[in-house]
Amino acid sequence: MSVNGTPLKWAGSKARIMDTLREHLPAGQRLVEPFAGSCSVMLNTDYAAYLVADINPDLINLYQVICEDTRGFLDTARLLFSTANTAEGYYHLRQSFNRDKSNRTQSAAMFLYLNRHGYNGLCRYNKQGIFNVPYGKYTSPYFPEQEIHFFAEKAKRATFLCCDFEETLALVCPDDVVYCDPPYYPASDTANFTQYHTQGFDKFDQYRLVTAAGKAARDGAQVVVSNSHIAHDVGLYAGFEVNHISAPRTISGNGNRGRVGEIIVKMGR
């Protein structure tokens, strides 16, 4: 089955393993995703309804704006993409984005611009909440108009919320299918890409997720979780069904983008 692209570039996107992931996602009426990411799972599955959440307000604002005013968003974003693709222009727009987010459509368009022009599709913030991804030096950043239209159509089945994963999992119904794709358990402290939000995602959060996901499963939901093989090695998902897969590496500090070990965990019936 072909894979539908997403409006955003995204570190850790599941687009590259969708064929494998679909084999582990059970049937159901609604898919609940507490970690929205690039929405590649929503865009490449066929549930009747979706509840998609994330703690990053910039990400959820983008998705909500696309749904509410697709044409207005496209016009605003297209204008930004037509400006000079220079480091100076990028950093000026990044400063504007961090300074004022009162205009939701403008803010969403700037977020898309920064995502497509910034380094490696990273989404990273410092502890003050400042988006700080450097300029990517790409010759011709792609404007994902077709992907935005496809997203807007598919998202008619979805509700988008900005909240912590525990809040999202508290909304799960017994017959829901839940898919969790958190920032991965790091192989080391220096390989810790978890600053998708000001608060980051540490080892305590990993254990919070196991607890909350396990409760949702005990309450009747079917829960699937992705993580690094390190999470299994440290016993994070002991007692649950753990499936090992190989996935393409999307970020590497040393230029090595080979395959890495990941796990797909199943909880519930």
Side-chain angles (χ1 to χ4, degrees):
M1 182 182 297
S2 62
V3 176
N4 297 301
T6 64
L8 295 173
K9 296 168 61 177
W10 202 257
S13 170
K14 290 297 169 285
R16 294 174 177 83
I17 64 163
M18 274 311 307
D19 287 343
T20 300
L21 182 58
R22 275 191 290 254
E23 295 174 1
H24 294 277
L25 290 173
Q29 286 297 303
R30 184 174 75 158
L31 179 68
V32 178
E33 290 192 75
F35 303 90
S38 64
C39 277
S40 61
V41 177
M42 183 193 82
L43 293 173
N44 288 283
T45 53
D46 192 25
Y47 291 89
Y50 296 86
L51 173 59
V52 181
D54 202 277
I55 200 170
N56 184 329
D58 296 326
L59 185 64
I60 295 301
N61 178 65
L62 169 69
Y63 294 151
Q64 290 174 336
V65 167
I66 291 176
C67 295
E68 294 164 8
D69 183 13
T70 308
R71 178 175 296 181
F73 171 78
L74 280 168
D75 289 344
T76 304
R78 194 181 294 108
L79 184 62
L80 291 178
F81 274 67
S82 68
T83 60
N85 177 24
T86 64
E88 181 181 9
Y90 175 87
Y91 288 117
H92 175 76
L93 194 142
R94 191 182 75 173
Q95 184 180 48
S96 298
F97 174 76
N98 283 319
R99 184 174 58 243
D100 182 10
K101 299 180 182 179
S102 58
N103 184 316
R104 291 181 60 231
T105 299
Q106 183 71 17
S107 179
M110 288 193 290
F111 186 69
L112 178 68
Y113 172 96
L114 293 170
N115 172 264
R116 287 283 173 175
H117 290 71
Y119 178 73
N120 245 358
L122 285 173
C123 183
R124 189 184 67 190
Y125 300 80
N126 65 19
K127 292 183 178 180
Q128 288 71 48
I130 301 300
F131 184 90
N132 62 4
V133 176
Y135 179 55
K137 301 180 182 178
Y138 302 114
T139 303
S140 300
Y142 175 64
F143 184 63
E145 182 165 357
Q146 181 178 346
E147 289 82 357
I148 290 167
H149 281 296
F150 183 81
F151 179 94
E153 184 62 29
K154 187 64 176 285
K156 291 177 180 178
R157 307 185 202 175
T159 298
F160 295 94
L161 298 176
C162 182
C163 56
D164 180 75
F165 66 84
E166 283 184 321
E167 297 175 83
T168 306
L169 289 170
L171 301 173
V172 169
C173 298
D175 293 329
D176 284 338
V177 175
V178 179
Y179 176 61
C180 299
D181 184 26
Y184 279 10
Y185 199 101
S188 67
D189 290 338
T190 58
N192 196 1
F193 293 97
T194 62
Q195 290 301 126
Y196 299 114
H197 181 259
T198 303
Q199 297 175 6
F201 200 89
D202 60 20
K203 292 178 182 178
F204 174 71
D205 295 312
Q206 297 282 353
Y207 285 96
R208 280 203 303 134
L209 174 58
V210 173
T211 301
K215 182 180 185 305
R218 290 193 301 274
D219 290 343
Q222 300 181 82
V223 182
V224 177
V225 185
S226 288
N227 215 312
S228 68
H229 72 93
I230 304 297
H232 176 257
D233 294 345
V234 300
L236 188 61
Y237 292 98
F240 298 109
E241 178 187 338
V242 177
N243 301 273
H244 293 264
I245 67 169
S246 177
R249 185 194 303 266
T250 56
I251 291 181
S252 175
N254 60 12
N256 175 14
R257 295 203 179 190
R259 302 186 72 84
V260 294
E262 294 188 6
I263 60 173
I264 297 177
V265 182
K266 292 184 177 181
M267 305 176 177
R269 66 187 193 288

